[in-house]
Amino acid sequence: MADLLEWSKQDKKRMLHVVYRVGDLDRTIKFYTECLGMKLLRQRDIPEEKYANAFLGFGPEESHFVVELTYNYGVTSYDIGDGFGHFAIATQDIYKLVEHIRAKGGNITREPGPVQGGTTVIAFVKDPDGYTFGLIQRPTVHDPFCQVMLRVGDLERSIKFYEKYTIAMLGYGEEHETTVLELTYNYGVTEYSKGNAYAQIAIGTDDVYKSAEVVNQVIKEVGGKITRQPGPIPGLNTKTTSFLDPDGWKTVLVDNVDFLEELK
């Protein structure tokens, strides 16, 4: 176990994308590109399986965290639940961005202003499907897509789970330089509904087999579940494994080399 954990510390992990479902793919793409400033990176339609998806972000997938939107034929709305919190976008001029979103018809749910008890200026907006995006004022911005916030029932347990896998705020670099996972615990609340809208986060790894071993050991200590054993996806040959954390949030681990081959 000690050798595995040491390997995990050296593993070149990177948060790749977050996957969630939307009721109108074109409508969401329009909002993300015109209001939030994302770029449509790639799009595909799989009629035989009755779904389509699109990847959007602020830069190429090789170096930026992106969103993977999934549209299932005929499904126009989803239940987001109360466990998902928000995504966050960093900007150097939050007031200008909010006015731009407002001018495009966006739903501003919190006007820009300092966070309670602090100086960081934030705002909140909702996309057409009801997903909340936090906007954060920062002097410098590397990748604007900077946070995914999920609510958990036991913060210490979740931190132990993710830190063992070296992800709290949790990430693979300094918070102002990389996308991070923000875990929120509300006093006395031990469970949240997941709904059926938010799906998972994908993380790159040098070896899905070794990573799965690490995750298995952590699961024995604090809970969770492996939902897909490591190996290639049929028809794609991209090696993945997936697991649920103790609160039921799903993560997919993707082989770094295979991921780059997929993008070619």
Side-chain angles (χ1 to χ4, degrees), residues 40-89:
L40 177 60
L41 302 171
R42 55 186 171 118
Q43 190 171 355
R44 59 191 177 191
D45 190 11
I46 300 91
E48 62 272 18
E49 297 184 31
K50 297 184 178 180
Y51 81 92
N53 58 18
F55 294 78
L56 297 97
F58 294 96
E61 291 180 68
E62 292 88 346
S63 56
H64 288 67
F65 186 73
V66 307
V67 300
E68 178 184 344
L69 306 176
T70 298
Y71 168 71
N72 293 302
Y73 288 13
V75 184
T76 58
S77 65
Y78 291 92
D79 172 19
I80 294 177
D82 60 4
F84 169 80
H86 62 259
F87 305 117
I89 293 173

Side-chain angles (χ1 to χ4, degrees), residues 151-171:
R151 298 184 178 95
V152 298
D154 184 328
L155 191 59
E156 289 186 9
R157 177 186 66 184
S158 294
I159 290 174
K160 185 176 183 181
F161 182 91
Y162 284 105
E163 279 190 332
K164 277 289 182 72
Y165 192 64
T166 324
I167 258 191
M169 246 49 95
L170 293 135

Side-chain angles (χ1 to χ4, degrees), residues 137-182:
Q137 175 96 10
R138 287 184 178 172
T140 58
V141 176
H142 297 269
D143 183 350
F145 202 126
C146 60
Q147 289 177 12
V148 177
M149 192 277 262
L150 304 174
R151 298 184 178 95
V152 298
D154 184 328
L155 191 59
E156 289 186 9
R157 177 186 66 184
S158 294
I159 290 174
K160 185 176 183 181
F161 182 91
Y162 284 105
E163 279 190 332
K164 277 289 182 72
Y165 192 64
T166 324
I167 258 191
M169 246 49 95
L170 293 135
Y172 298 113
E174 295 297 325
E175 185 185 344
H176 65 281
E177 294 178 348
T178 187
T179 307
V180 300
L181 178 61
E182 177 184 353

